[in-house]
């Protein structure tokens, strides 16, 4: 069954409102895009939406109680809260270097979580 | 630390870091940054989300990650940094007085100064929300610092006033930390932040946004218990009958930033009432000779990339002034920029035509009203078109820029006023 949903393309700041007609995960037609990156975005959003995730983990002996961390690559959107839970349980020791791996292969996704900054 | 510096930079945010780096690179010997916080980086240290550096560095970094690069570079260039020290006074003779727990009272003399104190947030008093004064009303930036740096959650159920980027980013951040964000209210009929933040921070987590809505009243005695939201008309007047009580324990205000210019005002630097920052020329020199300004202290930027770029220009200009390469004679001929059709302001406020002999000069501006149609961003001297470029749309939340090309030298030299317009582009 064909279905039409509205998506806002965030590939560039223009933010086109895309009308995406799809059958399940297959895009049939996209309108409202100002360039051809719009349909590509729509397809990715339907099949495997991902987001960069940034949060904090506790740090022992650091200059601050929290260390900001981020995913090295966009992470599957549906598993963000699971990832946040895993990170909430973590505690690391200072000193930490920027881009040091804080959680390797997070939830088996193949994506590492890295430190955003140095912390003495 | 020394007593005399070529360049003293006030504030270690991206604007100040870039200024110090550029000053060193341009040949200034002794460069010092004075910072009131215990670590460098400015507001970026609490902006833990990504999205920084996409334009200028072509990399998608977090706020702390972006700051780290410039902190490392400043360190590698031997920039002196005085932390935990608040600058209390700067004189037009460029004497800087600072005070801190570690350093005590410090007096320094600088050949040139770069002001880069950033901005601060508008508070409740400045937008006049009536009602009781219970605990639980904070600015979004204060909450951001608590949640991201200090590790403290200011509430469980939130309403956020203002659809600017900081408000939307905090809506997602609080959701990540297990809080409930009931609503984001925006008084304007359009989103004031970036679309990308609307999608990734609100839509992704089903946080409802209401445009043309504001907070009419805050309810609660000791602690916020609810806010009364209301729809407004085009003149921001509440529409009777549209009131709604939204239960919550915390109201966050994300209602705009104001350049931080107490020091500038004290020392008599002329300020633009529209931007809230100093009047500057194309090298970011203020009305006080040898005193430059960079970053959000001049006007509020939406992307840190342009703050860095402005800092680099200001730092280079400051070094040149300190080394006696410029500023010994007054500018030959400066031309004033003027906000024309659908333009709220233009920075820089003055352009010395001689600057065009070295390269193009970038003008930056904001529009008053959104135009969701193709536009020209143009600069004119009288009826002469000096430069223009096409944009697909223009929105108040997204700063525009326009390069004055070197070939405009003759026109700019003769002109007294350059008017910048954003007008419809007919196809
Ligand atoms: C709460 C908040 C959140 C923001 N979030 C984002 C975001 O998510 N993305 C984005 O692109 N932009 C964001 N911005 C805008 C951001 O401020 C700029 O992108 C950038 O950080 C501005 O750099 P700056 O160097 O001008 O100022 P800042 O980074 O604010 O640095 C100013 C520095 O000056 C210091 N200072 C001030 N007065 C004195 C004094 N008297 N003596 C000594 N030191 C002093 C301050 O402590 C601070 O370290 C945010 C701004 C605020 C206020
Ligand atoms: S469709 Fe193209 S123009 Fe429109 S937002 Fe996406 S990338 Fe930008």
């Amino acid at each position: 069954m064909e279905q039409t949903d509205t998506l806002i393309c965030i590939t560039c700041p223009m933010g086109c409102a895309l009308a995406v007609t799809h059958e399940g995960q297959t895009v049939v037609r996209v309108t409202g895009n100002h360039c051809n990156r719009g349909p590509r975005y729509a397809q990715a959003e339907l099949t495997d939406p991902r987001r960069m995730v940034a949060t904090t983990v506790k740090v022992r002996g650091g200059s601050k109680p929290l260390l900001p961390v981020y995913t090295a690559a966009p992470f599957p959107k549906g598993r963000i809260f699971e990832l946040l839970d895993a990170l909430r349980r973590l505690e690391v020791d200072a000193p930490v270097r920027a881009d040091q791996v804080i959680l390797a292969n997070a939830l088996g996704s193949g994506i590492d979580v890295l430190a955003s900054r140095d912390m003495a | 630390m020394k007593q005399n510096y070529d360049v003293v930079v006030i504030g270690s945010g991206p604007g100040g870091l870039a200024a110090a780096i550029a000053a060193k690179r341009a040949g200034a010997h002794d460069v010092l940054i004075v910072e009131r916080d215990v670590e460098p980086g400015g507001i970026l240290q609490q902006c833990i989300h990504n999205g920084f550096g996409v334009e200028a560095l072509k990399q998608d970094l977090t706020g702390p990650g972006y700051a780290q690069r410039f902190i490392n570079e400043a360190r590698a260039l031997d920039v002196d940094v005085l932390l935990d020290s608040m600058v209390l006074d700067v004189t037009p003779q460029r004497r800087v007085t600072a005070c801190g727990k570690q350093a005590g009272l410090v007096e320094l003399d600088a050949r040139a100064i770069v002001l880069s104190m950033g901005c601060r947030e508008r508070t409740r008093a400045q937008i006049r929300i009536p009602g009781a004064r219970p605990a639980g009303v904070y600015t979004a930036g204060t909450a951001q610092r608590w949640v991201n740096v200090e590790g403290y959650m200011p509430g469980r159920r939130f309403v956020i006033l203002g659809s600017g980027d900081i408000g939307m980013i905090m809506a997602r951040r609080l959701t990540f930390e297990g809080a409930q964000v009931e609503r984001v209210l925006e008084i304007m009929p359009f989103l004031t932040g970036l679309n990308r933040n609307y999608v990734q921070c609100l839509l992704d987590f089903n946080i409802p946004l209401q445009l043309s809505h504001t907070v009419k009243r805050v309810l609660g005695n000791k602690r916020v218990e609810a806010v009364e939201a209301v729809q407004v008309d085009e003149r921001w007047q509440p529409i009777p009958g549209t009131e709604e009580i939204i239960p919550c324990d915390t109201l966050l205000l994300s209602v705009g930033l104001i350049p931080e210019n107490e020091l500038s005002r004290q020392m008599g630097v002329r300020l633009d009432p529209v931007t809230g920052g100093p009047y500057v020329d194309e090298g970011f020199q203020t009305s006080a000779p040898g005193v430059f300004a960079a970053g959000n202290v001049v006007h509020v930027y939406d992307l840190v990339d342009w703050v860095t770029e402005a800092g680099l220009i200001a730092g280079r200009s400051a070094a040149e002034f300190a080394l006696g390469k410029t500023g010994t004679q007054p500018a030959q001929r400066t031309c004033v920029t003027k906000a024309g059709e659908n333009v709220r302001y233009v920075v820089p406020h003055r352009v010395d035509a001689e600057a065009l002999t070295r390269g193009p000069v970038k003008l930056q501006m904001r529009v008053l009203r959104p135009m969701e149609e193709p536009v020209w961003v143009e600069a004119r001297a009288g009826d002469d078109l000096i430069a223009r470029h096409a944009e697909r749309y223009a929105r108040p939340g997204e700063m525009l820029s326009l390069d004055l090309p070197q070939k405009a030298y003759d026109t700019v030299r003769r002109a007294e006023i350059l008017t910048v317009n954003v007008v419809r582009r007919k196809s």
Side-chain angles (χ1 to χ4, degrees):
Chain A
M1 243 250 308
E2 279 193 10
Q3 189 185 335
T4 302
D5 287 317
T6 311
L7 278 184
I8 298 175
C9 177
I10 54 169
T11 312
C12 88
M14 178 112 188
C16 298
L18 311 178
V20 185
T21 307
H22 57 101
E23 247 188 88
Q25 294 195 340
T26 313
V27 174
V28 180
R29 189 169 58 251
V30 176
T31 57
N33 53 305
H34 277 74
C35 81
N36 58 19
R37 287 180 296 171
R40 243 182 288 153
Y41 172 81
Q43 185 64 63
E45 278 294 285
L46 281 180
T47 46
D48 182 20
R50 284 171 183 252
R51 299 289 185 263
M52 291 294 286
V53 180
T55 183
T56 53
V57 298
K58 291 195 223 48
V59 53
R60 263 186 300 253
S63 58
K64 293 276 148 69
L66 297 175
L67 172 74
V69 298
Y70 69 103
T71 51
F75 192 82
K77 189 174 138 186
R79 301 188 72 191
I80 290 179
F81 284 94
E82 213 183 315
L83 174 67
L84 292 169
D85 271 343
L87 290 169
R88 203 167 287 128
R89 284 195 295 271
L90 223 62
E91 195 162 354
V92 299
D93 288 304
V96 179
R97 302 285 298 173
D99 294 332
Q100 182 178 320
V101 176
I102 299 300
L103 180 63
N105 185 18
L107 309 181
S109 62
I111 296 165
D112 292 342
V113 176
L114 310 177
S116 300
R117 54 168 284 183
D118 292 352
M119 189 169 286
Chain B
M1 220 181 58
K2 307 184 176 69
Q3 166 70 42
N4 290 285
Y5 278 91
D6 292 323
V7 179
V8 170
V9 177
I10 305 172
S12 69
L17 288 168
I21 289 166
K24 272 281 189 182
R25 285 197 203 136
H29 229 273
D30 299 314
V31 177
L32 171 74
I33 303 179
V34 187
E35 168 58 54
R36 67 180 170 199
D37 203 338
V38 294
E39 60 177 16
I43 213 88
L44 290 177
Q45 297 293 12
Q46 69 184 58
C47 303
I48 63 163
H49 56 277
N50 67 298
F52 296 87
V54 181
E55 298 288 332
L57 301 179
K58 302 289 170 218
Q59 279 189 67
D60 189 351
L61 302 170
T62 63
Y66 187 94
Q68 189 76 56
R69 309 213 159 200
F70 294 92
I71 293 170
N72 293 350
E73 187 168 357
R75 202 174 284 147
L77 286 168
D78 276 325
V79 170
D80 285 351
V81 183
L82 176 63
L83 294 172
D84 202 4
S85 296
M86 170 104 177
V87 174
L88 302 175
D89 188 50
V90 182
T91 69
Q93 293 73 39
R94 300 187 294 279
R95 166 159 287 208
V96 178
T97 309
C99 183
K101 273 198 231 81
Q102 302 286 320
L105 193 68
V106 180
E107 285 201 332
L108 303 160
D109 288 301
R111 290 177 196 273
I113 286 176
V114 181
L115 305 171
S116 45
M117 292 89 74
C119 57
R120 67 185 131 92
E121 297 178 276
R122 274 209 186 91
T123 58
R124 175 173 178 174
Q126 283 157 319
I127 56 166
R128 292 188 225 106
I129 301 176
R133 306 261 132 184
V137 182
Y138 311 108
T139 63
T142 300
Q144 189 179 44
R145 186 165 182 95
W146 284 339
V147 176
N148 292 347
V149 181
E150 317 288 348
Y152 164 70
M153 276 292 278
R156 304 307 309 168
R157 274 181 100 174
F158 291 80
V159 169
I160 299 177
L161 178 60
S163 67
D165 293 313
I166 306 170
M168 293 197 285
I169 282 165
M170 277 312 289
R172 172 178 63 185
R173 186 71 194 116
L174 293 163
T175 308
F176 277 5
E177 291 300 323
Q180 180 70 27
V181 180
E182 300 290 344
R183 203 77 57 91
V184 177
L185 303 168
E186 170 58 56
I187 195 166
M188 303 300 272
F190 49 84
L191 191 75
T192 61
L194 303 173
N195 263 304
R196 132 180 130 207
N197 286 329
Y198 172 59
V199 173
Q200 298 192 344
C201 299
L202 303 188
L203 278 187
D204 270 3
F205 305 100
N206 302 316
I207 298 169
L209 165 73
Q210 282 180 304
L211 300 174
S212 299
H213 274 72
T214 191
V215 170
K216 189 175 165 189
R217 216 153 45 100
V218 176
L219 294 97
N221 288 316
K222 282 213 173 72
R223 177 78 197 193
V224 173
E225 286 164 18
V227 299
E228 185 174 336
V230 68
Q231 194 180 337
V232 297
D233 63 20
E234 314 81 69
R235 282 166 297 118
W236 294 6
Q237 293 308 306
I239 302 175
T242 61
E243 294 84 359
E244 181 193 357
I245 303 280
I246 309 173
C248 60
D249 60 22
T250 312
L251 170 65
L252 293 189
L253 306 176
S254 174
V255 288
L257 303 171
I258 317 165
E260 171 68 67
N261 276 289
E262 286 316 312
L263 287 175
S264 329
R265 195 172 290 119
Q266 270 174 43
M267 74 183 291
V269 162
R270 282 185 57 220
L271 300 181
D272 176 350
V274 180
T275 56
Y279 285 101
V280 291
D281 67 15
E282 74 293 329
F284 289 101
Q285 184 162 213
T286 68
S287 63
V291 179
F292 299 77
N296 278 349
V297 77
V298 177
H299 61 140
V300 178
Y301 288 82
D302 33 43
L303 292 177
V304 73
D305 311 59
W306 311 138
V307 171
T308 297
E309 184 185 67
L312 292 172
I313 296 172
R316 191 189 63 206
S317 314
E320 285 167 357
F321 185 94
L323 301 173
K325 290 189 192 160
T326 53
T328 39
Q329 286 127 7
Q332 296 278 323
R333 191 87 184 76
T334 70
C335 156
V336 175
T337 60
K338 190 174 146 224
E341 202 175 320
N342 197 23
V343 175
R344 191 154 72 85
Y345 68 78
V346 185
V347 166
H349 303 80
R350 325 173 237 122
V351 177
D352 176 1
E354 297 309 315
L356 287 170
T357 59
R358 299 202 292 172
V361 168
K362 181 182 256 183
L363 305 180
Q364 292 187 302
M365 67 283 316
R366 277 188 196 277
V367 292
L368 286 161
R369 286 171 284 103
M371 295 171 79
E372 296 292 336
E373 58 190 340
V375 298
W376 288 117
V377 182
E378 56 166 44
R380 287 178 186 271
D383 287 335
D384 288 348
L385 183 66
I386 298 175
R388 73 171 179 187
H389 84 253
E391 290 282 354
R392 290 185 293 184
Y393 60 86
R395 296 174 191 151
E398 292 175 41
M399 190 177 290
L400 296 169
S401 62
L402 177 65
D403 277 342
L404 295 180
Q406 290 191 272
K407 67 176 190 324
Y409 175 77
D410 282 325
T411 335
V412 175
R413 209 166 57 95
R414 282 191 309 267
E416 309 238 305
I417 298 176
L418 273 185
T419 306
V420 178
N421 305 308
V422 175
V423 293
R424 214 174 100 210
R425 173 153 57 96
K426 295 163 204 93
S427 40

